[in-house]
Structures are given as structure tokens and as C-alpha cells.
Amino acid sequence: MTEKEHSAPQHFIRNIIQEDFAGNRLQELVTRFPPEPNGYLHIGHAKSICLNFGLAREFGGRCHLRFDDTNPLNEDEVYVDSICRDVAWLGFDWGRHLYFASDYYEQLYQYAVELIKEDMAFVCSLSPEEIRHYRGTLTQPGTDSPYRTRGVEENLDLFRRMRQGEFSEGSHVLRAKIDMASSNLNMRDPVIFRILHARHHRTGDQWCIYPTYDFAHCLSDAQEGVTHSLCSQEFEDHRPLYDWFIEHLPVPARPKQIEFARMNLTYTVLSKRRLNRLVEEGHVDGWDDPRMPTLSGLRKRGYTPGAIRTFCDMIGVGKSESLVQMSMLEHALRDDLNYRAPRFMGVQDPLKVVILNYPQDIEEELEGINNPEDESMGTRSLPFSREIYIERDDFREDPPKKYFRLAPGREVRLRYAYFITCVDVVKDENGEIAELHCTYDPESRGGSSPDGRKVKGTLHWVSARHCLEAEFRLYDRLFTKADPTAEEKKGVDFVQYINPESLRVVAGCKVEPALRGIEPRTRLQFERKGYFCLEGDSGKEPLVFNMAVALKDTWAKIEKREQQGG
Ligand code: ATP
Ligand code: MG
């Protein structure tokens, strides 16, 4: 790995694993990442991926990629493919350990039969509403189903016929016989198999009964010999049930479930349901819109897998849910790209400059350093000619104090080129500045001072004759509020906090010709602007660049101020 990886900080899950090794309770660490193939992965999933695969790598164990595909209604093969791609892109390898809960359907059926035989499961013929009603509440115990006392033989027969498709959806379910008076609602005779006359994306029409998540998950873990089953905090109340199944069935391994806090990120939402709404309602341009916190969106935006891994290490693993600052993620990206991204010059709002004393019929090749942080990245050739473009904002007719860029009569440096002095401002009929006339000092070639005289400003530029047309897509936060779902319980819809200026498309940009022919998805820095990622093909003008992150971390300052209540 070429990325600058941070050394992983200590956390409670690593401690548990170390203790298990030390106490000889563990020979090999086996973890798994268990997505449901019902959506695209987001940065929250990255936390779980980095944790599971990261620990396995660290302890020389293995991590499985297992699809928890127990709900045929919402799941699809396209999600399987995109999830595999995203996990691989993040830099993790499941080797031959790609699994599907649906591969275990027969085994899970047999386990259920086992429970029936031991009088620990029964076919319940209450309607779904009745089941809910009998279940009780947090303050009231549940009531036994009248079917709870059905005999083993009758249960076996009914369950077999459920499988054979004799019954309609909702007419029967198989439930574990645990304790309707338990203070934990998950233990009140939970449903473990239900009838669904639905086609599954992998098993087709082979099954019309499907195991529930709670039944399938722990037994799949056990089936695969998972030792540590790491999941998010909301499954804490499901752990007694997880353990109950493991304890009462002849499983080949006894995995340990450990919960950790989900990650949330400011100025975005991390849940498939909400992200789906953004797509469905057209607030964004698909799941991989560069404003989305999905891994496919972040990739398109220009994020590197290394930056995301570093970020996941930085935020750590804890027990209480946290709202992580978006600026932290951006910081991780800047840090990573600073070392790997080649520099180029690009002008977003071009203002023409004519260099009066530079001969019309001459052009020359100057040299630019590709990355001052990494000499091995070499140099590139920068064509220079009499007419160039600079950034409109780099000139003021009436410069305020501390404005060190170009102004009438003032001398500045053109990066890697020459010192120029503004001698005239040419305006159009509307009084707008049409172009600038400057002179240059031939002795300052390369941008170095010929006689020790100093200039305060250094500007980026491109040669008018040589530059390429480009379009910059400038992204801002997707929401205007740090926690857009905070008032959801009060009925405030998060969608109303969408930032109307989250995307600004700037056409008519000019970039240097060395960009012709760069690979799709190349990440680069436009000097003084930010990190960008080429969208599409570099052979066709205008070249389109997505801005990954600006150079200056203005948002970090804003967030800090907000935190301090200022
Ligand atoms: P969502 O709420 O976005 O639909 P999910 O938890 O339903 O997510 P799964 O496909 O079930 O999505 O998730 C796979 C794994 O990723 C689970 O182990 C889950 O705990 C973990 N995970 C999902 N979201 C986060 C998050 N924000 N932070 C940490 N882990 C997460
Ligand atoms: Mg889920």
C-alpha cells in the first residue's frame, strides 16, 4: 500500500480480541462484513468494513463478505455487484470467502426442524396483527399464543407444508418458543420463518418461506466459523436472542456478538432509506452523485480509498453514537491527495492578459513541478505565449489593503513563468474589464527574481493559444444543517434542509494543455483552488472536473465557531 496509513489506535474491540488470544480462547480471528443487498454502501458502512477487514488483517485472520439476503422483496443482484466493487475499491480482499445467507436456507430449515423437535419452536397461526397485539409492550408482558401448545408432530407437518407452498402469506409463521413475559421484546417468541411467495434474486422460486434476520444472522455466523460478530449498537437487544439460538442448536462454532456505535456525519444523511429518497425525488443525480455519502459518490467526487481508511481510523470505535465532522473526512482527503495528486493550473473565471513586449510569433516551453511534496513525480512542460488567461479575481482596479495580487502599475509573478506588470486596463462598452495589458521582465524566466526585487503575489495562468476548455463542477455541503434529521421526530422533514447551492457548474474554464490525455478519474490539484477529479474523457473538450475538496479548510473554521457557539 502506497498510502500514508496512520497506525491504528486502540479500542475496546481490539482489546477484547487481544484478551481472547491471551486467554487461549482464540486460535484464529474470523470476522465478517454482512451487508443486506438492498442499497449502495455509504461511508457509515466503510466504518464497519474497515473495522472488520482491518482487524482480520491486523491479527492475521480472515474476514468474510457475507450478504444477509433474507428479504427477497428489497434485494437485488445489482446491489451485490456494487457492494463487492466498493469493498474491493476500499482495498479489502475477502479471497474465497464470499457467502450468502441464502446459501444456508436448507441448513436453516433443518435447524428450525431441530427446534420444533425439541419443542422449542411452533407454528403460529395468528394473523400478523394478532401477533403484534399478543406481543405486549415495554411495560406490559406478552400473552402466549393459543398455538403455543401445538404438538411436535403437528408443527412438523405444518412447517413442511409451509415450505411446500400450501399456505398463503401471513397465514402461518414459525416462532421460537422462548418467553412471552421476557422484559426483552425480542425474546417473546420471535418469528423465525415466514411465508413469502416472492422470487429471490439467487434462489429463484425454490423457496416460499424465508428465515428472519435474527434467525439467519447468528446461524450464518456460526456456520462460517465467525469468532467475533461485530455489529452496530441497535443490535444490543438482539444479543440474548443471538446467544439463545447458538446455545440451543448443534452449531459448529460459537461466535461472540459485540456491538459498536454507528457513525453519523455532519451535513449529510447515512441511511439507505433516506439516501433512497434523495435519489427517488431527484434531489441528486443518482446514487453515485458526487454529493452523496455513498462510496460510489465519494469515488466519483475524487475520494481515495486511503483517505477513507485513514478517516475510519481517526474516528475510532466506541459505544456511544457520534456525529463526526465532515471537515474531518475532508481533512483526510486533503492530507492524502497532497502527496499523491499532481499539480496543474486551471483558470475558473478567465481574464485575458496581453503581454505587450512579448513577441507575437514566439512561444516557449517553461517547466512546472508536478508535485512539490514528491520530487519523483517530475516536471511538465508549460507553453507560454503573448496572450494568457489569469483569474478575474486576481486583479483589482482599486485593490484593498493586503491585496497582493495584480493591480494597475503593480508587478506580480506568474507561477513558473515571468514577472509581469500591469500597464493598462481595457474595458468594454459596459465598463467591464475586457482585458489587461501588461509588460514582462524577460530576465525573470521561470519566475525567479532577476535582481533580488520582491513581488508579493504569485498567480496561476494558462496560455490562451494552448489552453483547453473545461467545466468545473463545484460542490458544497448537501445540507445546510449539520444534523438535518435532528427534528424529524417533531415532523420536520430533512429534505427541506437541502442546500440549493450544493452544485455549481462553471463553464468556460481554461486549463493547461498537459491535461490532454490524462486517465479518467485522475485526481489532481488545480493550484490555489483545490483537488479535482476528471469526470469522463480527457480527449474531448470541455474537460469536466469534479471538485473533491477546496484547498483551504474554511468549513472547519465554520464548524469550530458553531461548536463554540460563536
Ligand atoms: P442503513 O441504515 O443505511 O440501511 P443498514 O445497517 O441497514 O444501514 P446493512 O446492509 O444491514 O445496512 O449494514 C451492513 C453493516 O454495516 C452492518 O453490520 C451495520 O451495522 C453496518 N453499518 C451500517 N451503517 C453504519 C454506520 N452508519 N456506522 C457504522 N456501521 C454501519
Ligand atoms: Mg439493515
Side-chain angles (χ1 to χ4, degrees):
M1 226 160 271
T2 52
E3 285 97 319
K4 192 179 62 136
E5 303 273 0
H6 291 227
S7 64
Q10 207 54 22
H11 56 71
F12 77 101
I13 296 179
R14 180 180 288 109
N15 290 342
I16 291 173
I17 293 167
Q18 281 167 340
E19 281 162 20
D20 285 348
F21 272 117
N24 271 329
R25 290 182 295 274
L26 185 63
Q27 271 66 55
E28 186 190 19
L29 176 68
V30 183
T31 56
R32 86 283 171 271
F33 173 63
E36 190 185 351
N38 63 350
Y40 295 87
L41 297 182
H42 53 63
I43 183 83
H45 293 114
K47 173 174 176 173
S48 174
I49 296 168
C50 290
L51 179 63
N52 280 295
F53 279 94
L55 286 169
R57 180 181 286 172
E58 182 182 336
F59 288 98
R62 61 178 202 263
C63 180
H64 301 178
L65 175 58
R66 183 180 70 242
F67 287 94
D68 268 338
D69 53 352
T70 55
N71 186 359
L73 300 178
N74 304 324
E75 297 164 3
D76 199 280
E77 204 64 33
V78 301
Y79 300 122
V80 172
D81 297 342
S82 81
I83 289 169
C84 287
R85 191 166 59 237
D86 286 347
V87 175
W89 177 74
L90 266 187
F92 298 109
D93 182 9
W94 52 89
R96 58 192 173 84
H97 301 287
L98 174 65
Y99 302 109
F100 294 84
S102 54
D103 288 343
Y104 310 134
Y105 281 174
E106 182 61 38
Q107 177 67 60
L108 294 170
Y109 179 84
Q110 295 306 333
Y111 279 140
V113 167
E114 200 76 29
L115 285 179
I116 296 174
K117 285 183 179 162
E118 299 293 326
D119 198 24
M120 288 188 287
F122 65 101
V123 173
C124 181
S125 309
L126 292 174
S127 70
E129 296 74 48
E130 287 168 327
I131 290 181
R132 233 183 335 272
H133 183 72
Y134 275 69
R135 200 167 176 228
T137 63
L138 280 172
T139 49
Q140 278 185 327
T143 314
D144 283 0
S145 161
Y147 301 99
R148 202 175 199 265
T149 50
R150 250 177 186 151
V152 170
E153 287 312 313
E154 188 186 355
N155 281 322
L156 284 174
D157 178 59
L158 283 170
F159 189 45
R160 186 179 47 77
R161 288 162 61 199
M162 279 169 66
R163 176 180 184 167
Q164 279 167 0
E166 284 187 31
F167 306 119
S168 60
E169 284 180 19
S171 56
H172 306 284
V173 289
L174 185 72
R175 299 174 68 174
K177 201 184 273 191
I178 308 182
D179 179 8
M180 287 307 286
S182 171
S183 57
N184 184 337
L185 272 82
N186 294 305
M187 299 299 272
R188 295 183 187 169
D189 293 2
V191 173
I192 59 180
F193 262 95
R194 74 265 196 225
I195 300 171
L196 278 176
H197 290 283
R199 205 185 154 73
H200 186 278
H201 66 102
R202 295 191 78 244
T203 57
D205 294 320
Q206 205 183 326
W207 292 89
C208 62
I209 55 171
Y210 291 93
T212 55
Y213 174 87
D214 277 328
F215 190 61
H217 190 78
C218 53
L219 297 173
S220 303
D221 280 349
Q223 209 60 27
E224 294 172 15
V226 166
T227 57
H228 293 72
S229 180
L230 315 180
C231 62
S232 33
Q233 202 65 41
E234 70 268 24
F235 291 102
E236 189 173 24
D237 290 347
H238 296 240
R239 180 158 25 100
L241 183 54
Y242 186 107
D243 291 341
W244 191 89
F245 289 128
I246 297 294
E247 201 171 305
H248 290 92
L249 284 164
V251 289
R254 302 179 67 85
K256 178 179 337 193
Q257 174 179 308
I258 305 169
E259 308 87 20
F260 65 93
R262 289 175 87 87
M263 181 201 39
N264 297 298
L265 197 58
T266 54
Y267 299 98
T268 192
V269 290
L270 295 185
S271 100
K272 280 179 264 187
R273 182 176 55 80
R274 296 194 184 104
L275 294 173
N276 194 35
R277 266 194 68 198
L278 296 177
V279 176
E280 291 295 310
E281 295 175 13
H283 301 292
V284 294
D285 189 18
W287 283 92
D288 63 350
D289 185 301
R291 288 166 292 181
M292 291 283 269
T294 51
L295 295 182
S296 46
L298 292 169
R299 178 163 60 231
K300 215 169 171 186
R301 179 85 174 253
Y303 269 81
T304 58
I308 293 174
R309 290 196 301 267
T310 302
F311 168 74
C312 289
D313 272 350
M314 281 159 67
I315 61 175
V317 180
K319 274 289 196 184
S320 53
E321 213 163 297
S322 56
L323 185 59
V324 178
Q325 308 276 319
M326 177 71 92
S327 50
M328 247 171 107
L329 178 61
E330 293 172 345
H331 172 81
L333 180 62
R334 267 189 216 101
D335 230 31
D336 190 36
L337 288 182
N338 182 35
Y339 290 96
R340 63 170 66 246
R343 273 55 166 173
F344 289 96
M345 291 196 282
V347 177
Q348 185 178 315
D349 185 9
L351 172 61
K352 184 174 270 188
V353 172
V354 182
I355 301 165
L356 300 176
N357 58 339
Y358 195 91
Q360 198 105 39
D361 51 347
I362 284 187
E363 57 184 61
E364 62 186 311
E365 298 288 336
L366 301 169
E367 192 177 58
I369 293 170
N370 285 338
N371 189 337
E373 302 287 341
D374 182 357
E375 238 173 60
S376 74
M377 289 173 73
T379 60
R380 69 189 183 285
S381 158
L382 285 167
F384 188 80
S385 61
R386 180 182 162 92
E387 293 188 359
I388 61 167
Y389 291 111
I390 64 165
E391 208 69 69
R392 190 164 283 274
D393 193 43
D394 280 338
F395 175 79
R396 294 288 158 84
E397 235 183 327
D398 199 5
K401 260 205 186 114
K402 298 208 170 150
Y403 183 87
F404 299 121
R405 295 170 260 171
L406 199 58
R410 190 181 287 177
E411 185 171 50
V412 296
R413 172 192 292 107
L414 295 176
R415 180 88 157 144
Y416 300 127
Y418 290 104
F419 284 14
I420 58 166
T421 304
C422 177
V423 294
D424 199 11
V425 182
V426 181
K427 298 195 172 165
D428 64 16
E429 61 272 24
N430 303 320
E432 299 281 340
I433 298 171
E435 60 182 48
L436 301 178
H437 288 174
C438 292
T439 57
Y440 85 117
D441 179 354
E443 300 300 311
S444 62
R445 192 171 195 273
S448 55
S449 180
D451 53 8
R453 78 175 184 274
K454 292 208 161 48
V455 290
K456 279 197 168 151
T458 298
L459 312 186
H460 60 274
W461 56 275
V462 294
S463 162
R465 197 184 302 163
H466 304 91
C467 67
L468 308 176
E469 290 293 320
E471 175 182 300
F472 288 177
R473 297 186 182 162
L474 308 179
Y475 297 100
D476 199 350
R477 303 287 152 91
L478 188 49
F479 291 92
T480 53
K481 214 171 147 61
D483 185 0
T485 62
E487 297 155 7
E488 220 166 38
K489 287 205 178 77
K490 284 192 264 167
V492 183
D493 189 8
F494 72 98
V495 162
Q496 79 175 70
Y497 294 114
I498 286 191
N499 178 4
E501 280 149 32
S502 60
L503 169 60
R504 191 155 69 88
V505 177
V506 185
C509 306
K510 314 276 186 189
V511 300
E512 57 173 279
L515 286 159
R516 178 175 280 128
I518 60 166
E519 293 294 315
R521 289 262 175 282
T522 299
R523 305 174 187 98
L524 54 100
Q525 184 195 103
F526 280 122
E527 293 210 37
R528 300 175 66 217
K529 310 204 82 62
Y531 293 100
F532 289 72
C533 178
L534 176 71
E535 166 87 45
D537 185 358
S538 66
K540 204 170 79 222
E541 289 179 69
L543 280 69
V544 177
F545 294 96
N546 290 325
M547 179 158 93
V549 62
L551 277 187
K552 276 200 221 88
D553 193 2
T554 48
W555 271 93
K557 283 180 211 136
I558 292 170
E559 282 178 341
K560 199 163 165 201
R561 207 164 54 223
E562 276 175 3
Q563 262 182 338
Q564 292 166 346

